Amino acid sequence: MKRRVVVTGMGVVTSLACKVSDLWSAVLAGKSGIHTLSVFDTTGHKVKFGGDIPDWQTDGYIDRKDAKRIDRFTQFAMVAAIDAVTDSGLDFSKEDPFRCGVVVGSGIGGLNEIETQNERLLTKGPDKVSAFTIPKLMLNAASGHISIKYGLRGPNYAVATACASATNAMGDAFKAIQYDDADIMVTGGAEAACTAMGLAGFANMRALSERHDDPQGASRPFDADRDGFVLSEGAGLLVFEELEHARARGAHIYGEVLGCGASGDGGHITQPDAMGTGAARAMQAALTDAKLNAEQIDYINAHGTSTPLGDKAETTAIKSVYGEHAHKLSISSTKSQLGHLLGASGGVELVLSLKAIENNTCPPTINYTTPDPACDLDYTPNVPREREINLIMSNSFGFGGHNATIIAGRFAG
Amino acid sequence: MASVLERVTDIVSEQLGVDKDKITPETSFVTDLGADSLDTVELVMELEEEFDVTIPDDAAEKIQTVGAAVEFIEANQGG
């Protein structure tokens, strides 16, 4: 029999707030974390806005020497993980280290370090490329550093499925506990791709919004006038714990993880399947895994990136899975407030979905002004909605055709 | 202009995250400051850049202390 898995700790790093309670309040208030990018010089860039974290500092979390040896995305992961572990009340010195693991996703990994060292390589020569280049840029550095911080020696790896990374990672962490490979997993995602190359690369794909005159209105998922996603950075980390282990220590339980599903589009490297077939498959697989009927889900935190094709395909997919119930669900995309944290987005979105359960409140999709006939569901426009929320679904889809869905519910004993 | 010792001390302090008042010519990078193999490679690179010298690998292996680094730099710095 599969073991039960609950969430006992949560931590976030976003451009809107770096504490879960502050983030929840800001998201409900409809605030936007989008602004003119300032962590690098955007001269010559077509798009100059996004959700970067300009005053980032790691004091009190990572010591000065280590911070120099850790890329920005891993710093985000570490800070969010430390907050999540603190929140959980766990003392890892009292746990069997081989029963505690880490799976953190990232879409790209250490892009800042790649760019910095490439500049040194080209201007100063190969002998001046830092000895820390590889251990900083590697995508698995976040999982590695979190395990080193706490001495965790259970399952430890990274997941890279672009913007689905965090959700795929959390699905794996969930199963590691279900199938008795571990009792505790620190999991989620981290991303720091607000860099010159990251911004230019996404902009030249025509993937980004070009609403230059209104950056805070640029991320408008499901709205008829949406024109692309907004590039953001940050992390969302959670502590997943086996139920009896959590109970034995009297831990606060935010909710229970009930199922996950994954699929591939097998179609195009960046364009979503227009009918959302792969996305629907991931949602259906998660429902089957959770032994739930679609009619039981109350709220979907959509992938909803604000791209013309993606939001439409996700809507089509939701309708194909949920039928009539699609119109009774509450749906929202918190990317409307936060922009797109790429491989970190699923982690932050599961945190917000668990807060939605805790507060029986759906966070809104802000910037929703003009309905799109192709997106005709209830996206919780502009203001939060109070309703009973016992079961949530969170979707994440990534370039590469990766689709990942996770389902969580109110912990009812 | 700051002395070679002062400039080496600044770099060691910055690279290894230790207060300057804990660094003397006798301070060993590995034994006293806990530098690992990557730290020492990085430190040598920083010293080369700051003083515009080349520190070959066999010489770098012998530079175990702040004082040894200062001696090497003073003996090899271009005039």
Side-chain angles (χ1 to χ4, degrees):
Chain A
M1 174 150 161
K2 289 180 193 170
R3 307 191 314 157
R4 294 173 68 184
V5 181
V6 292
V7 178
T8 57
M10 310 196 290
V12 293
V13 169
T14 74
S15 65
L16 197 49
C18 289
K19 293 289 170 212
V20 171
S21 55
D22 295 345
L23 177 63
W24 177 244
S25 307
V27 163
L28 288 195
K31 291 186 179 155
S32 167
I34 308 308
H35 42 240
T36 301
L37 290 165
S38 63
V39 293
F40 66 96
D41 180 5
T42 58
T43 305
H45 285 262
K46 182 164 52 183
V47 175
K48 297 176 190 289
F49 62 87
D52 65 358
I53 304 171
D55 49 358
W56 176 247
Q57 53 97 9
T58 56
D59 295 353
Y61 286 91
I62 304 171
D63 80 37
R64 194 152 53 103
K65 179 189 165 191
D66 289 342
K68 287 174 68 78
R69 284 145 179 73
I70 297 176
D71 184 83
R72 188 173 173 91
F73 90 100
T74 301
Q75 293 183 4
F76 292 159
M78 293 278 290
V79 169
I82 291 166
D83 279 348
V85 170
T86 304
D87 183 36
S88 76
L90 277 165
D91 175 357
F92 281 119
S93 70
K94 293 180 181 150
E95 302 295 333
D96 175 354
F98 293 99
R99 300 289 299 170
C100 304
V102 188
V103 187
V104 176
S106 181
I108 303 181
L111 192 56
N112 283 276
E113 183 66 6
I114 292 171
E115 292 178 35
T116 302
Q117 297 304 327
N118 188 54
E119 172 83 18
R120 283 179 71 90
L121 174 67
L122 297 179
T123 57
K124 297 182 173 177
D127 287 350
K128 299 299 181 195
V129 171
S130 168
F132 295 102
T133 306
I134 303 300
K136 280 179 80 170
L137 70 83
M138 61 193 196
L139 191 143
N140 50 313
S143 293
H145 278 290
I146 292 167
S147 74
I148 293 162
K149 163 86 185 168
Y150 292 111
L152 311 183
R153 303 174 78 178
N156 191 295
Y157 57 95
V159 169
T161 50
C163 305
S165 300
T167 302
N168 277 132
M170 296 186 299
D172 282 10
F174 165 59
K175 295 212 178 285
I177 298 173
Q178 268 196 324
Y179 290 96
D180 207 9
D181 293 330
D183 295 324
I184 297 162
M185 295 294 291
V186 179
T187 185
E191 200 78 74
C194 286
T195 68
M197 200 183 290
L199 184 70
F202 284 116
N204 291 344
M205 291 175 75
R206 307 293 186 267
L208 299 181
S209 169
E210 297 185 21
R211 190 175 281 264
H212 308 296
D213 57 343
D214 180 21
Q216 299 213 327
S219 187
R220 45 197 318 113
F222 306 108
D223 183 87
D225 297 324
R226 66 189 184 277
D227 72 329
F229 76 81
V230 175
L231 183 64
S232 292
E233 61 178 358
L237 274 283
L238 301 93
V239 175
F240 284 11
E241 188 168 350
E242 192 273 325
L243 172 60
E244 295 311 321
H245 189 282
R247 266 190 177 140
R249 63 185 191 85
H252 173 71
I253 293 172
Y254 286 101
E256 181 168 2
V257 185
L258 296 166
C260 65
S263 73
D265 279 351
H268 188 275
I269 195 67
T270 56
Q271 269 182 29
D273 172 348
M275 297 308 292
T277 315
R281 170 73 195 177
M283 287 186 247
Q284 188 57 58
L287 286 165
T288 303
D289 188 41
K291 297 189 169 60
L292 291 170
N293 297 317
E295 292 72 27
Q296 292 173 272
I297 300 292
D298 301 302
Y299 168 69
I300 298 179
N301 188 298
H303 185 58
T305 59
S306 184
T307 62
L309 293 177
D311 294 0
K312 185 179 167 190
E314 186 173 12
T315 298
T316 304
I318 291 171
K319 287 199 267 193
S320 76
V321 172
Y322 285 90
E324 268 306 297
H325 188 63
H327 297 275
K328 296 174 188 159
L329 284 163
S330 285
I331 300 167
S332 67
S333 170
T334 42
K335 289 185 180 79
S336 58
Q337 292 90 338
L338 293 169
H340 193 354
L341 280 76
L342 309 179
S345 60
V348 174
E349 288 160 14
L350 184 59
V351 168
L352 291 171
S353 299
L354 290 164
K355 292 298 285 183
I357 291 173
E358 183 180 275
N359 294 281
N360 281 314
T361 303
C362 305
T365 303
I366 64 167
N367 298 320
Y368 188 90
T369 53
T370 311
D372 174 356
C375 299
D376 57 349
L377 299 175
D378 179 356
Y379 305 105
T380 322
N382 303 315
V383 288
R385 176 164 322 118
E386 287 184 27
R387 65 173 281 173
E388 190 176 344
I389 304 174
N390 292 312
L391 290 164
I392 68 89
M393 171 180 277
S394 180
N395 286 334
S396 300
F397 312 130
F399 287 165
H402 311 288
N403 307 297
T405 296
I406 195 159
I407 293 174
R410 181 181 302 282
F411 176 66
Chain B
M1 176 128 183
S3 71
V4 172
L5 175 60
E6 284 166 339
R7 288 159 70 196
V8 171
T9 302
D10 284 349
I11 288 173
V12 172
S13 165
E14 172 69 16
Q15 280 296 314
L16 299 178
V18 284
D19 292 337
K20 286 180 200 171
D21 58 12
K22 298 212 169 66
I23 300 169
T24 70
E26 288 73 42
T27 301
S28 158
F29 302 124
V30 176
T31 323
D32 298 324
L33 303 181
D36 64 19
S37 63
L38 297 185
D39 290 326
T40 49
V41 174
E42 196 77 359
L43 193 58
V44 164
M45 212 182 282
E46 289 293 322
L47 293 172
E48 287 183 327
E49 195 152 335
E50 170 72 14
F51 295 101
D52 194 22
V53 294
T54 301
I55 307 177
D57 286 352
D58 56 344
E61 280 168 28
K62 293 184 191 119
I63 300 174
Q64 305 275 339
T65 63
V66 172
V70 171
E71 270 176 42
F72 180 92
I73 291 160
E74 285 179 340
N76 293 278
Q77 211 171 9

